[in-house]
Amino acid sequence: MGGVKDLRQGETPPLAQRILYEDNHLLIVNKTCSELVQGDKTGDVSLLENLKEFIKVRDHKPGNVFLGLVHRLDRPTSGCVVYAKTSKALSRLTESFRDRSVQKHYWAITDIQATEVLGEGGEMSDWLRRNPKVNKSVTVPQGTRGAKHGVLRYSLGLRLDRYALWEVQLETGRHHQIRVQFAARGFPLRGDLKYGAARSIPGGGIALHARYLSVPHPTGQREVQVWADPRQVQGDTLWVQVGELLENLSAG
C-alpha cells in the first residue's frame, strides 16, 4: 500500500492520499466505511464538508468552495464516490448516473456457504420496496405497490477459508440493493447487522466496497476509470488477506 495508513491503525488516511482522480471538473475519492457522503440528521461531519475545507486550504480559495454530490454510498460502505466541482459538471454527471452510462463494480464478502447456493456467478432479479421509517428495503412480489425492479450480476472472485469474495455489477441502483438481494438468499454481507449478519466487524462498516468506477467525463471527451483499494478504507483485517491474495494472483 505504499506506506499509506489503513484503518487497522486507528487513523483515517488523509484525504490527499484517498483522492483517486481530480481535475477542474470532478473529484473521485475513496470513502471510508464510517464516513457520510453528505450531512444528515446525525449532525456528523461529512466527507463533502471535509473535502470542501481540504480544497479551500490546499488551493488557497478565499470564498466558498463549490462541490456537488453526484451519487450516494451507504455510510458503512466504502469505495469510489464522485463529486462535481462545477454546476455544469454536476448536471452532466448526474445525468450519466441516471441514464446508466456509468459502470459500477463492487466487492462483497459473505460466508463461504453462499457458494453452494449461488455457484460461480449469475444474476439476481428482485422487486424491492423501501421502508424509510427503518431505512431498510425488502424483497416483495412483483406488482407490490411502491416496489422497484432491482437487477445485479455477480461472480465469485475468491474463495477464502470461511468467506467468499464476490464481484458485483449493478444493473439498477436501488436502495441497499446489494445488501438486500444477497440477504434475501440467506447470505447477508459480513458485518451487515441490519440485514441479518450475526456479528459486527471493526470500524463499524460492512463488507461492501465500491471497487471500480467508469464514468463519462463531463466534457464528453473520454471515460474516467478508477480503482479503489479496500485496505485503505476498511477496518476489517479480512480485506488485508483479500488484497494480498489478489496481488499474488496478479503477479502470477
Side-chain angles (χ1 to χ4, degrees), residues 142-247:
Q142 183 176 351
T144 300
R145 185 175 180 179
K148 295 182 179 180
H149 194 206
V151 180
L152 63 79
R153 301 183 188 281
Y154 67 93
S155 61
L156 182 62
L158 280 176
R159 292 180 189 269
L160 306 172
D161 291 339
R162 297 170 52 198
Y163 300 99
L165 173 74
W166 303 94
E167 297 183 10
V168 182
Q169 182 174 357
L170 286 176
E171 299 294 327
T172 56
R174 307 308 181 197
H175 177 255
H176 291 179
Q177 183 177 336
I178 297 173
R179 300 166 66 180
V180 66
Q181 287 192 279
F182 271 88
R185 287 155 178 80
F187 305 104
L189 306 187
R190 175 171 160 84
D192 196 358
L193 300 181
K194 181 182 286 286
Y195 286 97
R199 60 186 65 85
S200 62
I201 53 179
I206 61 176
L208 182 60
H209 177 72
R211 166 62 174 169
Y212 167 79
L213 187 72
S214 176
V215 58
H217 194 276
T219 63
Q221 297 176 346
R222 57 192 172 87
E223 293 282 325
V224 176
Q225 296 181 316
V226 294
W227 290 261
D229 192 331
R231 294 171 292 180
Q232 190 186 30
V233 289
Q234 282 271 357
D236 185 3
T237 55
L238 184 60
W239 287 105
V240 178
Q241 182 182 358
V242 167
E244 290 173 350
L245 285 171
L246 290 169
E247 285 180 353

Side-chain angles (χ1 to χ4, degrees), residues 4 37 54 98 104-105 130 132 140 150 175 178 196 205 238 244 251:
V4 176
V37 291
F54 169 76
R98 186 181 297 117
K104 295 179 285 184
H105 296 182
R130 180 180 183 179
V140 294
H175 177 255
I178 297 173
L238 184 60
E244 290 173 350

Side-chain angles (χ1 to χ4, degrees), residues 81-150:
V81 179
V82 182
Y83 293 91
K85 297 177 71 175
T86 69
S87 58
K88 182 178 290 187
L90 178 60
S91 176
R92 291 178 177 176
L93 288 166
T94 301
E95 181 60 29
S96 293
F97 275 83
R98 186 181 297 117
D99 67 17
R100 301 180 187 175
S101 56
V102 175
Q103 291 187 42
K104 295 179 285 184
H105 296 182
Y106 293 78
W107 281 348
I109 297 176
T110 67
D111 287 340
I112 190 65
Q113 286 82 2
T115 59
E116 299 174 7
V117 176
L118 301 179
E120 298 287 325
E123 179 182 280
M124 296 183 185
S125 177
D126 298 286
W127 288 87
L128 311 174
R129 184 174 65 183
R130 180 180 183 179
N131 183 343
K133 292 183 179 180
V134 294
N135 190 32
K136 188 175 180 179
S137 290
V138 294
T139 56
V140 294
Q142 183 176 351
T144 300
R145 185 175 180 179
K148 295 182 179 180
H149 194 206

